[in-house]
Amino acid sequence: MSRILPPGSTIGVLGSGQLGRMFAIAARRMGYRVHTLSPDEDTPTGQVADVEVRAAYDDLDAVRAFASRVDAVTFEFENVPSQSIEACAALVPVHPRAEVLHTAQHRVREKTFLSKNGFPCADFRHVRSFGELEAAAREIGLPAVLKTAGFGYDGKGQRMVRSMEELPAAWQGIGGAEAVLERFVDFECELSVVAARDQQGRFAHFPLCLNTHSRHILDVTLAPAPVEPRVAQQAVEIARGILETLDVVGVLCVEMFLERGGRLLVNELAPRPHNSGHYTFDACVTSQFEQQLRAVCGLPLGSTEQMRPAAMANLLGDLWAEGEPQWHRAAEFPEVKIHLYGKSEARPGRKMGHLTALCAGVEEARRRVLEAREALRPRRSG
Ligand code: AMP
C-alpha cells in the first residue's frame, strides 16, 4: 500500500550534488521541503534545500538523526553505504529500496544480476587477483576493459587493456582492487533510457537518449535519439524488465551500447536521475526530478512526453581554465537554457553546469548547443 505524502512533507536526500539540486528545485516548486546530507557544505543541493546537514555517509547516528526529521528518504549519489540506507529504512520509507542501490553500486553484483536475469551485457569476469586477471584475459580475449568493482563513475577506476603485456600496468593502475574485466565493445553509439516506476508498479520512460562521451565523461546527449524505432523499442523493453525485476520505486537510468551489428548491451545502471536525463527538465512535460519526487511521495507518475527535440551539453570545470566563461554570449542563443550548479571551485572534469538547446530537430539542437558552449569560452581581449 502506498502512503501519499502531501505537499508540505519533507523529503531527505542523501547526497548533495547537482542531481539533488535539481530534485530540490522540482520538489520546492511543488510545495515540498527538502533536507540534504553529505560530508560537504554550501553544496549544490544545500543551496536550494531547506536544511543542509554536514556528516559522513557512514556516520550512522547522524544518518538516523537526519532520517528522523524527514517523511521519506531518497538518494542522488550511488556511493552511499547500503547500511546507511538500511538505517534510514528502519525509520521512514526509502525509495528506491536499499537492495536496488546495493546491486547497482557494485559492478560484480550489477553484472551478475543482469546476466542471471537474461539482460544482455558484455561478457565479463570477476577478478580478485593478478592471477585471476590473466585467466580472465585469456577467457574473454583482448581488448578488454578493467573496471574496479566499487565506487567507480565517469570512467574513474578504469583501464583499457589491449595486450597481455599491458595487464600488470592496468592491474597497478586500479590499485589491485576487486574488479571486473569486461570485453571491449565495438559500439556504433551509446544510448540510455531514463525510466521510473511508481508505488503501484506503473512504469513510464522518457524518450531514448543518444550519448557521446569525452574522456569517459558524458559530453552531449541528443533526445529523442536518432535511431531506428526498433532499437528504441528494444531499449525501452530492456529498461522496463530491469525496473520490474529490481522492483524499483523511483527513477533508474539504464546505459547501453548499440553494438555494430545492431545488438543492445547494458553497460551500467544508475538508480537515480541521470546526467543524460537533464534535458527532461526543459523539454518534457514532467522532468526526471519531478518523476523521482512523485514516485517517492506515492503520487502517480507524470507525462514523459517530450515537447521539443533537445540537445544537452555538459559544462566541465575545464571551461574555466582561462577565466570566467562569457555567460552573456550563451544568453544570446534564445533557444538555449543555462543551468549552473553553484559550485565555487572549477576543477578539470568537474561537472559545473549544462546547456540544453530546444529546436525543431535534434541535429539543429546539437549544433546550437555546441555553438553556445563554444561562445562561452573566455576570449583574450585585443
Ligand atoms: P562506465 O564507467 O562503465 O560507464 O564507462 C564509461 C565509458 O567508458 C562508457 O560510457 C564507454 O564510453 C566506455 N566503456 C566502458 N566500458 C566499455 C566497454 N566494455 N567497451 C567499450 N567502451 C567502454
Side-chain angles (χ1 to χ4, degrees):
M1 272 306 289
S2 74
R3 188 167 73 91
I4 293 175
L5 295 178
S9 305
T10 303
I11 314 302
V13 181
L14 296 172
S16 63
Q18 60 271 15
L19 301 174
R21 181 186 182 90
M22 290 181 266
F23 172 82
I25 291 170
R28 293 193 65 150
R29 192 175 65 177
M30 284 175 69
Y32 288 85
R33 295 184 174 277
V34 177
H35 292 195
T36 172
L37 179 142
S38 81
D40 304 313
E41 60 187 349
D42 189 28
T43 59
T45 311
Q47 290 165 11
V48 181
D50 297 81
V51 174
E52 179 178 54
V53 175
R54 187 179 190 192
Y57 293 120
D58 58 2
D59 178 346
L60 291 181
D61 289 335
V63 167
R64 282 192 198 99
F66 174 77
S68 68
R69 295 181 63 203
V70 302
D71 299 299
V73 165
T74 188
F75 46 86
E76 65 99 60
F77 173 66
E78 249 121 301
N79 296 333
V80 176
S82 47
Q83 301 92 293
S84 304
I85 306 273
E86 280 154 18
C88 293
L91 297 166
V92 285
V94 177
H95 299 297
R97 64 201 176 92
E99 184 59 28
V100 176
L101 184 73
H102 188 68
T103 304
Q105 71 185 182
H106 190 272
R107 288 192 201 270
V108 177
R109 289 196 289 269
E110 182 180 69
K111 290 186 180 294
T112 307
F113 160 80
L114 291 169
S115 51
K116 263 198 177 154
N117 288 285
F119 298 112
C121 60
D123 197 13
F124 72 97
R125 293 289 182 281
H126 185 188
V127 167
R128 279 153 300 191
S129 66
F130 185 69
E132 284 189 346
L133 175 59
E134 285 184 310
R138 270 187 226 105
E139 283 174 34
I140 65 171
L142 298 176
V145 185
L146 182 64
K147 303 178 177 182
T148 51
F151 301 99
Y153 61 95
D154 286 345
K156 292 189 178 118
Q158 269 195 39
R159 291 289 183 282
M160 173 85 174
V161 186
R162 292 175 191 79
S163 66
M164 293 302 274
E165 289 70 48
E166 287 181 10
L167 285 181
W171 181 240
Q172 264 184 7
I174 64 155
E178 183 184 10
V180 293
L181 185 73
E182 186 180 292
R183 178 172 69 79
F184 177 78
V185 179
D186 180 20
F187 57 77
E188 213 164 279
C189 63
E190 294 187 76
L191 302 166
S192 60
V193 179
V194 178
R197 264 177 97 238
D198 69 12
Q199 294 184 17
Q200 263 75 41
R202 285 174 298 215
F203 172 85
H205 67 89
F206 291 98
L208 184 70
C209 302
L210 175 77
N211 304 318
T212 48
H213 293 78
S214 168
R215 292 179 291 144
H216 293 289
I217 303 173
L218 182 63
D219 186 35
V220 173
T221 293
L222 304 187
V227 295
E228 288 171 37
R230 175 194 63 84
V231 171
Q233 275 160 16
Q234 280 178 5
V236 168
E237 284 319 307
I238 291 170
R240 183 196 300 271
I242 290 172
L243 271 86
E244 287 177 354
T245 310
L246 279 173
D247 191 18
V248 172
V249 171
V251 171
L252 184 139
C253 173
V254 184
E255 291 183 76
M256 304 180 199
F257 299 120
L258 179 62
E259 208 177 5
R260 276 181 217 290
R263 197 156 64 117
L264 282 167
L265 297 173
V266 176
N267 174 33
E268 254 198 325
L269 309 179
R272 48 160 175 80
H274 188 259
N275 196 167
S276 63
H278 286 0
Y279 79 92
T280 62
F281 211 113
D282 299 305
C284 295
V285 173
T286 310
S287 73
Q288 60 170 351
F289 306 102
E290 181 179 332
Q291 209 71 304
Q292 180 185 20
L293 177 79
R294 284 169 171 258
V296 169
C297 293
L299 300 172
L301 300 174
S303 162
T304 53
E305 187 187 339
Q306 186 170 348
M307 297 177 289
R308 215 157 155 69
M312 186 282 317
N314 270 334
L315 304 176
L316 300 185
D318 312 57
L319 190 62
W320 276 249
E322 312 242 319
E324 187 67 19
Q326 306 189 89
W327 300 113
H328 62 283
R329 297 285 320 279
E332 285 165 10
F333 291 73
E335 66 283 71
V336 171
K337 313 290 283 184
I338 304 174
H339 295 253
L340 289 169
Y341 308 146
K343 298 181 184 178
S344 48
E345 200 194 332
R347 292 190 296 271
R350 191 175 197 206
K351 291 173 180 170
M352 302 295 290
H354 69 269
L355 303 177
T356 305
L358 304 167
C359 295
V362 280
E363 265 316 311
E364 186 191 344
R366 190 177 75 90
R367 194 168 43 76
R368 294 299 279 167
V369 86
L370 293 179
E371 283 170 6
R373 185 167 68 177
E374 197 49 40
L376 283 174
R377 280 188 201 291
R379 299 240 172 92
R380 289 198 190 87
S381 50

